[in-house]
Amino acid sequence: MADSTLVFLVLGATLAAFVWGRFRYDLVALAALLGSVMLGLVPGDEAFLGFGHPAVITVAAVLVLSRAFEHSGVVDVIADQVLKVGERLFLQLAALTGTVVVLSGFMNNVGALALLLPVAMRLAREHDTSPSLLLMPLAFGSLLGGLTTLIGTPPNIIIASYRGDVTGEGFGLFSFTPVGATVALAGLAFILLIGWRLVPQRAGKASLDAMFDTAHYLVELRVDEDSRANGLSLRELQQELEETIPVLAVVRDDRRRAGHAFFGTLREGDILLMEAGPEEMKLLEEKAGLSLGQDAEEEPQEEQEEQEEQEEARSEAEGHREDANRDPAEKKATGKGERKKNKEEKRGVDTEGLQLMEAVVRNDSMMVNRTVTQLRLHNQFGLHLVAVARDGGRLKQRLREIRFRPGDVLLLQGGESELAESLTTLGCLPLARRDLQLGQPRMLLVSLAIFAAAILAILTGVLPAAVALATAALVSLLVGVLPLREGYQAIDGPVIVLLGAMIPVGQALETSGGAALIAEAMLAWGSEWPVVVTLTGLFVVTMMLSDVVNNAAAAVLMAPIAASLASGFEVSLDPFLMAVAISASCAFLTPIGHQSNTLVMGPGGYRFGDYWRMGLPLEGVITLVAIPMILLVWPL
């Protein structure tokens, strides 16, 4: 069987696995690489050269520098200004989307989105705005911003490196700016003027209570003398129940202790604040002997009478004329109804101080496809899982049965000091309202100075981009802008593996003649048309591919095809490579095309089919603007 046929079979299986999504994309890419080696498509001694490719090193360095910006407070200073825009929706959209466009040009676009996502949620809650109107524009803006510079998005880095391999000179830091910035501005204008109106409005998802319906599930349960829970620790209680039911707090002697930090044994009179629905309530009563706590008991008669007298006296003092003219029986009934209503309102469980936090599961999270029991959240990370929301609504099934998916929104409880570190380790992005930490002014300036020096070295040609950025990342770690541990955590392992594995596979597509065969078919199809038609077809095909596979993989696969097309038409290579770079980063039709789209799916309450409503016309605008700009800046 010809090598080109084998390459097509490997790539076909790889793309099918990417679209299926059953296995993480880095595992799929590694399987494609090893399969190519076994089939003789990639030499065995060159199998892992992709991991030392300049594109991979550049991506890793940019990820570290992005985290350094966050840690030093550079981005938080900007976010602090965004929060001052006021209550007008247009200004909120302009501030959030415009800011993320600028940030994404100089740092990882997922990192820029992650920094502004809590700011967007805070704006939505403070101004009672549906977050669905803010989050999709924010995600799309992060993709648009990546188009503007070499380091804005992995496809740009890959295409620049590919050009260097073919011609001996890669694209520069700002070579993408004329086309990318124009496309980004056109996309931003569309989003602000028209696009946000096409986004389905999911009402009531900005509030923690609205998303999780917390007040209807938090109950107080009392430990009686004959309760089986009497004398058990919380861990022993969980084992007794054979169920993961979070104990949010233990109230003893009018002092409340958070459940994750309570390590003693329960005793008579303790009140447990728990997350429990009707089925769990029955289980707690039968297996642990717990009963409804004090908030559910009838108030003593004396307290009721005293309360009634006070309310009647207050009513008389205010001199309500309508009340004075009412029928006595009606007045009595109304008074009872009001007292009942007041009493029910007072039964609401106070959740203040319980350190509840919302977080969204990232695509690369270790939680994906695993349950809370498998992860041992409480024992290993000190976290209680309180609830899970998916597609904007709370999941009603038992917590221990839920297998987490990317985009799930979790309601977690834990110690304030441990939450941030645990969420980072788990691969979750915090969504809860947070206080901005502006960092140390000295480190803020140092971080900017290091990055500026790297940019200057790239622009003057003193150092290649990969070396300059890697040096900047190293210096940031050495001077303490970013702790070493956080530097390693900042490197997105799955993306690095994806790039390192797919680069040799992409080269095999070229060396086997597979890219030439595809190019010949496109040349035959476009022989009777101007070259610009084939260029547009390449642009659209790459854009569609990036909607279902990782954008870096799309760039790796389409770059050799673009080079073959340029050679076949005997025209300049640059416009074809630039078309691949721009289109590979424009994944606006689905939530799986890019991590930014997936991250906002849960918090925004979006469904799979919501993205194309704004994404499809946006891709049309981008195509209409990008093709003329590419031909203007990079003529055939």
Side-chain angles (χ1 to χ4, degrees):
M1 189 178 293
D3 285 351
S4 58
T5 304
L6 291 175
V7 166
F8 290 146
L9 291 175
V10 170
L11 290 180
T14 302
L15 292 177
F18 278 143
V19 175
W20 183 29
R22 176 62 180 84
F23 301 101
R24 217 167 62 177
Y25 54 76
D26 52 331
L27 298 179
V28 173
L30 192 58
L33 172 61
L34 297 177
S36 298
V37 172
M38 293 176 185
L39 292 172
L41 301 173
V42 175
D45 57 350
E46 299 178 6
F48 300 107
L49 292 182
F51 290 93
H53 195 277
V56 177
I57 304 302
T58 303
V59 169
V62 169
L63 291 172
V64 174
L65 290 173
S66 298
R67 183 65 64 86
F69 284 156
E70 177 185 358
H71 197 269
S72 65
V74 172
V75 183
D76 282 338
V77 171
I78 301 171
D80 188 36
Q81 300 302 314
V82 173
L83 289 171
K84 300 177 181 179
V85 296
E87 60 182 12
R88 290 186 58 187
L89 180 60
F90 177 81
L91 294 179
Q92 293 175 12
L93 284 167
L96 285 169
T97 312
T99 301
V100 82
V101 166
V102 174
L103 290 178
S104 296
F106 297 95
M107 62 184 296
N108 175 258
N109 42 25
V110 175
L113 174 70
L115 290 167
L116 288 176
L117 192 51
V119 178
M121 295 297 290
R122 179 171 173 177
L123 278 174
R125 289 171 181 173
E126 289 185 353
H127 301 290
D128 196 25
T129 304
S130 173
S132 64
L133 298 179
L134 298 176
L135 297 189
M136 191 179 293
L138 184 66
F140 287 2
S142 72
L143 302 188
L144 291 170
L147 304 175
T148 57
T149 66
L150 168 69
I151 61 177
T153 184
N156 289 3
I157 298 172
I158 292 168
I159 294 301
S161 296
Y162 183 84
R163 185 179 187 266
D165 294 338
V166 174
T167 66
E169 183 180 358
F171 285 121
L173 180 65
F174 295 109
S175 297
F176 299 88
T177 304
V179 177
T182 304
V183 171
L185 288 174
L188 178 62
F190 171 80
I191 290 172
L192 296 180
L193 298 177
I194 302 173
W196 69 270
R197 305 175 192 275
L198 306 177
V199 178
Q201 183 171 350
R202 309 296 185 198
K205 298 297 186 296
S207 167
L208 179 148
D209 288 338
M211 178 175 287
F212 292 107
D213 202 17
T214 308
H216 291 83
Y217 290 86
L218 290 178
V219 295
E220 290 185 3
L221 298 169
R222 186 180 65 250
V223 179
D224 295 326
E225 182 180 3
D226 56 348
S227 296
R228 192 172 303 175
N230 193 0
L232 298 180
S233 66
L234 294 184
R235 183 176 181 181
E236 291 171 339
L237 177 61
Q238 299 281 6
Q239 294 173 347
E240 184 76 18
L241 296 173
E242 298 180 353
E243 176 61 270
T244 305
I245 303 178
V247 178
L248 300 183
V250 178
V251 181
R252 178 180 294 173
D253 299 328
D254 295 328
R255 181 184 175 187
R256 183 169 59 183
R257 304 175 186 177
H260 71 275
F262 183 85
F263 300 104
T265 57
L266 299 173
R267 63 190 188 200
E268 181 185 358
D270 286 349
I271 300 295
L272 306 184
L273 179 59
M274 303 189 71
E275 163 75 7
E279 293 183 3
E280 289 84 359
M281 285 283 294
K282 184 177 180 181
L283 182 67
L284 289 165
E285 183 178 1
E286 292 178 351
K287 287 195 172 185
L290 298 175
S291 58
L292 283 176
Q294 294 174 348
D295 67 315
E297 294 178 350
E298 292 295 330
E299 296 177 349
Q301 184 66 27
E302 293 181 358
E303 292 183 7
Q304 288 189 15
E305 292 176 355
E306 182 180 350
Q307 183 179 358
E308 291 175 5
E309 291 175 359
Q310 291 176 352
E311 290 179 354
E312 290 174 0
R314 191 182 302 112
S315 178
E316 291 176 0
E318 291 174 353
H320 294 281
R321 295 181 180 179
E322 295 180 2
D323 187 59
N325 296 329
R326 286 182 188 173
D327 181 74
E330 180 183 355
K331 179 179 177 181
K332 183 176 181 180
T334 303
K336 288 183 178 179
E338 291 177 351
R339 286 192 292 274
K340 182 178 180 181
K341 180 180 178 181
N342 292 335
K343 181 179 174 182
E344 290 176 349
E345 290 176 352
K346 290 182 179 180
R347 286 186 185 177
V349 179
D350 179 19
T351 61
E352 183 179 358
L354 290 184
Q355 296 171 325
L356 295 173
M357 177 177 283
E358 294 164 279
V360 61
V361 179
R362 294 180 52 146
N363 300 57
D364 56 351
S365 170
M366 63 183 293
M367 303 181 71
V368 174
N369 291 326
R370 301 175 73 182
T371 66
V372 64
T373 305
Q374 293 171 332
L375 291 166
R376 303 181 65 193
L377 279 185
H378 184 240
N379 293 336
Q380 191 167 346
F381 298 96
L383 298 178
H384 275 313
L385 177 66
V386 179
V388 180
R390 184 173 294 164
D391 298 334
R394 176 195 169 108
L395 296 181
K396 304 298 184 182
Q397 66 193 95
R398 289 185 170 183
L399 294 177
R400 70 174 183 178
E401 297 175 353
I402 296 174
R403 289 192 175 272
F404 301 111
R405 300 179 187 172
D408 282 352
V409 181
L410 314 180
L411 183 61
L412 298 163
Q413 184 202 29
E416 185 175 357
S417 58
E418 295 88 3
L419 268 173
E421 183 176 353
S422 296
L423 291 178
T424 301
T425 304
L426 289 167
C428 293
L429 174 66
L431 292 177
R433 176 173 175 170
R434 69 174 189 176
D435 296 325
L436 296 176
Q437 300 184 8
L438 302 182
Q440 303 177 16
R442 184 179 67 85
M443 286 303 172
L444 187 151
L445 295 176
V446 169
S447 177
L448 290 176
I450 293 171
F451 183 70
I455 297 300
L456 184 62
I458 296 172
L459 292 178
T460 57
V462 174
L463 292 173
V467 177
L469 294 170
T471 303
L474 175 62
V475 173
S476 297
L477 296 171
L478 290 176
V479 302
V481 173
L482 184 69
L484 182 60
R485 181 177 181 180
E486 290 195 30
Y488 278 108
Q489 290 176 343
I491 298 175
D492 192 345
V495 170
I496 299 301
V497 173
L498 170 74
L499 289 175
M502 289 303 296
I503 286 174
V505 176
Q507 292 172 346
L509 176 64
E510 186 172 11
T511 56
S512 67
L517 289 176
I518 296 175
E520 288 174 6
M522 295 185 70
L523 287 170
W525 171 80
S527 59
E528 299 180 0
W529 303 93
V531 178
V532 65
V533 176
T534 304
L535 181 67
T536 304
L538 176 70
F539 191 95
V540 173
V541 169
T542 307
M543 189 181 290
M544 293 175 63
L545 182 62
S546 70
D547 283 317
V548 293
V549 304
N550 183 277
N551 57 1
V556 168
L557 294 176
M558 297 303 293
I561 298 174
S564 297
L565 283 172
S567 176
F569 280 116
E570 298 182 350
V571 296
S572 172
L573 172 65
D574 292 339
F576 283 86
L577 289 183
M578 193 60 62
V580 171
I582 298 296
S583 56
S585 295
C586 294
F588 301 116
L589 296 186
T590 69
I592 63 173
H594 196 277
Q595 285 193 49
S596 292
N597 294 351
T598 307
L599 283 175
V600 300
M601 188 175 185
Y606 303 121
R607 301 184 181 95
F608 193 97
D610 289 341
Y611 287 79
W612 69 270
R613 297 172 184 265
M614 179 167 68
L616 185 60
L618 177 58
E619 289 192 356
V621 169
I622 288 172
T623 303
L624 291 175
V625 173
I627 297 300
M629 281 300 301
I630 290 173
L631 295 176
L632 177 65
V633 179
W634 305 95
L636 296 169

